[in-house]
């Protein structure tokens, strides 16, 4: 083990609620395994708990299979076997006392100043009971708690949820997770904006015409009807993901690269957002959704949403932000597209090609293999003045450090251990976003049908006119070397 002081955090006991669930198997257990094997995390002990009646060995078998199947790093099988042998498990039926005893045993094994991190990988209705269990077990002091979305379903429920959590945990102990912000390319937005004198001076309404944040998914419900039916695309994706990405794009420069300073600037963006106008929202439902198991035959739940929102401040007044996400669409993408204003007058003759391919764009691909592209017009070789659209592209895969990329959940868990809230959501921010969303929730437009494998209902084109959606791209990303 590497010395703790070199790892940036005290030793931790991680208590994983929902330890046998899908998220735990696919992301959390492999992520904790990778952190434990790396030089990044402190010394860890992990205690799993869930409704399943298992013993330590039963949980270890589940964890071993999860790490073997879903780990994104290659680790010797012997190391994996040794790691899972240190895992502990407490069925929830055993009660808070049993959980407290097991955590105390693991903390004693670490020695020194041990901290706790509780990860609530549970459905929304189980979050408060899990917190009550932690309170009864005496596991609140010197602890942080990571909570999964959604954080309420409207303003009233978000306020009530935060008040209930604050009865047990202080706001400084709470980490409301958005895995999108844990991705390397999302953080690259901050680096790109604030480290480069080329772009920050033009990052405003004078030079930018409009911005698109486009996160379509090819996936269907994947058996999650019980969660999705009362939630829908807007509550599932826009409030918790797309609005958070929007804040990174739109925020002012923070006074420091620190969680408090960044949180202040994100919340300023949220306070400046104009409440959503239902007339600027398109809701859709893919054909066949109502035939999915667990879906009501007359369901009004949207599986797709596109909207226009505005930020009423000096930097962004008059610049529309177009957001789109949905299920069963043509491609799975994670795109931010910044459209720059076109020159006020063109000296080029008709037929030169200027304007034929739209404005210049700066495009961020937020997929795991981060890419950035800047498009521009350039002269076509040969006689006359014919112009074509070209692009400068950068891909993370082209660098020598691509192997250092942390998976989103790994980064966010590590930040929570260090007490770093930079990539997490505050109670103030989430309550303001529900306030902005209130007009839409009170008067949602009707859902419109769309075909599986399309880009959504046809009404999305009227929403964005006179502009056009950038997906699908006319040009593809260049492949890496």
């Amino acid at each position: 083990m590497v010395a703790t002081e070199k790892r940036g955090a005290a030793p931790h006991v991680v208590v994983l609620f929902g330890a046998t669930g899908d998220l735990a198997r696919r992301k959390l257990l492999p992520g904790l395994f990778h952190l434990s094997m790396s030089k990044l995390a402190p010394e860890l002990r992990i205690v799993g708990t869930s409704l399943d009646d298992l013993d330590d060995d039963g949980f270890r078998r589940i964890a071993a299979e999860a790490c073997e199947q879903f780990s994104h790093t290659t680790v010797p099988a012997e190391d994996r076997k040794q790691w899972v042998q240190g895992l502990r498990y407490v069925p929830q039926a055993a009660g808070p006392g049993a959980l407290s005893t097991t955590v105390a045993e693991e903390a004693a094994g670490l020695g020194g100043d041990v901290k706790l991190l509780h990860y609530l990988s549970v459905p929304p209705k189980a979050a408060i009971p899990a917190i009550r269990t932690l309170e009864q077990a005496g596991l609140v002091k010197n602890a942080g708690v990571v909570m999964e979305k959604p954080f309420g379903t409207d303003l009233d429920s978000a306020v009530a949820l935060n008040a209930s959590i604050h009865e047990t945990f202080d706001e400084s102990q709470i980490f409301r997770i958005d895995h999108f912000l844990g991705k390397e390319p999302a953080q690259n937005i901050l680096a790109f904006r604030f480290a480069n004198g080329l772009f920050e001076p033009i990052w405003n309404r004078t030079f930018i015409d409009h911005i698109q944040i486009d996160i379509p998914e090819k996936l269907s419900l994947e058996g999650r009807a019980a969660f999705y039916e009362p939630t829908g695309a807007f509550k599932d994706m826009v409030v918790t993901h797309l609005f958070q990405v929007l804040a990174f794009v739109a925020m002012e420069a923070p006074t420091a690269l620190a969680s408090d300073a960044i949180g202040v600037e994100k919340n300023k963006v949220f306070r400046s957002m104009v409440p959503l106008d239902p007339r600027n929202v398109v809701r859709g439902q893919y054909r066949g959704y109502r035939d999915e198991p667990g879906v009501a035959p007359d369901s009004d739940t949207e599986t797709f949403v596109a909207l226009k929102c505005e930020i009423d401040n000096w930097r962004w007044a008059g610049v529309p932000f177009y957001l789109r996400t949905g299920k069963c669409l043509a491609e799975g993408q994670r795109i931010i597209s910044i459209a720059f204003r076109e020159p006020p007058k063109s000296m080029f003759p008709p037929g030169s090609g200027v304007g034929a391919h739209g404005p210049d764009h700066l495009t961020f691909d937020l997929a795991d293999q981060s890419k950035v592209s800047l498009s521009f017009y350039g002269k076509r070789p040969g006689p006359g003045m014919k112009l074509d659209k070209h692009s400068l592209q950068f891909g993370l895969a082209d660098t020598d450090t691509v192997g250092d990329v942390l998976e989103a959940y790994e980064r966010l868990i590590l930040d929570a251990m260090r007490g770093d809230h930079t990539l997490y959501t505050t109670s103030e921010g989430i309550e303001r976003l529900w306030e902005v969303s209130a007009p839409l929730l009170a008067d949602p437009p009707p859902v419109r049908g769309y075909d599986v494998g399309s880009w959504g209902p046809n009404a999305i084109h009227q929403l964005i006119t006179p502009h056009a959606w950038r997906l699908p791209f006319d040009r593809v990303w260049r492949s890496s070397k």
Side-chain angles (χ1 to χ4, degrees), residues 360-372:
D360 299 335
H361 283 88
L362 176 64
T363 305
F364 294 87
D365 184 345
L366 301 187
D368 290 333
Q369 293 299 322
S370 171
K371 297 176 184 176
V372 180

Side-chain angles (χ1 to χ4, degrees), residues 210-211 234 238 243 246 273-282 305-311 318-324 436 440 460 462-467 469:
H210 66 279
I211 293 174
F234 179 78
V238 176
F243 281 163
L246 180 150
M273 288 177 66
V274 177
L276 297 179
D277 185 342
R279 294 172 296 181
N280 292 328
V281 179
V282 175
V305 63
L307 58 92
K308 180 176 80 170
C309 64
E310 298 174 282
I311 300 172
V319 177
F321 287 72
Y322 297 101
L323 280 56
R324 176 173 64 167
V436 168
L440 173 61
I460 62 172
Q462 286 75 47
L463 174 69
I464 202 171
T465 190
H467 314 298
W469 294 100

